[in-house]
Amino acid sequence: MSTVLAKQRLLYDGVVFDMDGTLTQAHIDFADMRARTGIPVGDLFVAMESWEEPERIKQSMDVILEIEAEAAKSVQGKEGLLELLQMLRESDVKVALVTRNTNSSVAAFFQLIGEEWRGLFSEVRAREFRYVKPDKRLLLDVAQAWQLHPGRLLMVGDSFEDVEVGNAAGTATCLVTGGGNEAPGSNMGPPPGAIPTLSVSSLVELRRFLQDTAPGSSSSSITEGLDVSSGSSSSSSLGMLGWSLRSLSESESDD
């Protein structure tokens, strides 16, 4: 008689990932993209939606698709990606992928890491979906599909845009530093309120964090190597981390 082992619960019931720069090593030249589309600052797609010249919009979209297609030729998975996905597969958690890249780029991603991982991502939203980041309805749609409260989700991304959409939707957020719009030298600073629940430098650190904060695990290393951004003293500022991290910090200060 075989025994089915119960899957490990995590602090969150659902984890939503950005793709480019978060799960993959992005090689998209955003400086070139901005120069060739004539959009030096701000959100590219929001700017294009304000244009009234269809030909200008088409030309700019052609530039974006060209640059993305060239970048896709050299795409690589981030360090620790497969180990993180394996841990999530063995846990009682739902996983989603949301990206402003195209469906074809998503297909290329699964070809890169192996088609056997596609089934782990129960929800996938690409550029063709009716809502895209930073529209909060994107994450609310994922939460609704999972029948989960947004507060039970963790949005993971490498740009402030990912943090912004998570904040707006009411999810916890994790900024994977060093890969996106938050990188030094970029033209986009953090939008108002784009404060991550926590920051990690790699997917390896994210995996360790999720393991360390799982119910029943020791909390002794919750904050080791992590930048936990409180933003304010309110209880909501730490999202789903809230009580455990504040309690840990208070107990350490009392020693």
Side-chain angles (χ1 to χ4, degrees):
M1 180 177 179
S2 61
T3 301
V4 178
L5 298 177
K7 289 189 173 183
Q8 171 67 54
R9 287 198 60 195
L10 299 180
L11 181 62
Y12 306 98
D13 294 329
V15 181
V16 183
F17 289 101
D18 167 58
M19 187 174 72
D20 297 311
T22 301
L23 300 182
T24 65
Q25 187 65 49
H27 297 284
I28 299 175
D29 190 339
F30 287 105
D32 182 41
M33 186 180 291
R34 288 186 176 279
R36 292 172 61 186
T37 57
I39 308 173
V41 295
D43 186 281
L44 292 170
F45 294 105
V46 171
M48 290 166 59
E49 287 175 355
S50 69
W51 296 347
E52 297 181 357
E53 308 93 330
E55 184 60 28
R56 183 185 180 191
I57 295 174
K58 180 182 181 304
Q59 290 176 353
S60 293
M61 278 304 306
D62 288 344
V63 166
I64 292 173
L65 291 172
E66 175 190 333
I67 293 174
E68 289 176 340
E70 186 63 29
K73 296 177 182 178
S74 57
V75 68
Q76 298 174 315
K78 280 288 193 73
E79 178 186 2
L81 171 59
L82 296 184
E83 292 83 356
L84 172 62
L85 296 183
Q86 182 61 36
M87 186 273 290
L88 293 173
R89 175 181 277 175
E90 296 171 353
S91 304
D92 184 17
V93 64
K94 299 179 185 297
V95 182
L97 182 69
V98 297
T99 176
R100 298 217 304 181
N101 214 322
T102 61
N103 281 319
S104 60
S105 295
V106 171
F109 168 68
F110 286 116
Q111 290 175 5
L112 171 70
I113 66 172
E115 287 292 335
E116 64 271 20
W117 293 105
R118 186 184 291 269
L120 176 63
F121 295 83
S122 61
E123 301 296 327
V124 176
R125 306 284 189 272
R127 180 185 300 163
E128 293 82 356
F129 190 64
R130 62 184 179 276
Y131 308 128
V132 296
K133 294 179 292 182
D135 191 326
K136 68 179 182 180
R137 290 175 292 182
L138 173 67
L139 294 186
L140 294 178
D141 185 78
V142 173
Q144 182 178 31
W146 284 341
Q147 297 186 344
L148 292 174
H149 187 279
R152 299 299 307 167
L153 273 57
L154 175 67
M155 175 67 211
V156 181
D158 70 311
S159 75
F160 286 121
E161 177 185 86
D162 299 308
V163 176
E164 183 182 19
V165 69
N167 289 168
T171 75
T173 55
C174 174
L175 178 67
V176 183
T177 61
N181 292 332
E182 50 77 41
S186 66
N187 289 318
M188 183 178 290
I195 301 173
T197 308
L198 70 145
S199 297
V200 297
S201 62
S202 68
L203 297 182
V204 175
E205 286 192 13
L206 175 59
R207 174 175 56 81
R208 291 172 181 166
F209 167 79
L210 292 173
Q211 290 174 328
D212 289 344
T213 57
S217 68
S218 170
S219 62
S220 60
S221 59
I222 285 180
T223 58
E224 182 178 357
L226 298 174
D227 174 19
V228 181
S229 306
S230 60
S232 71
S233 59
S234 68
S235 60
S236 61
S237 65
L238 291 181
M240 292 301 299
L241 289 175
W243 184 88
S244 60
L245 287 180
R246 287 198 307 278
S247 297
L248 177 62
S249 176
E250 290 166 0
S251 65
E252 290 176 344
S253 64
D254 291 338
D255 291 341

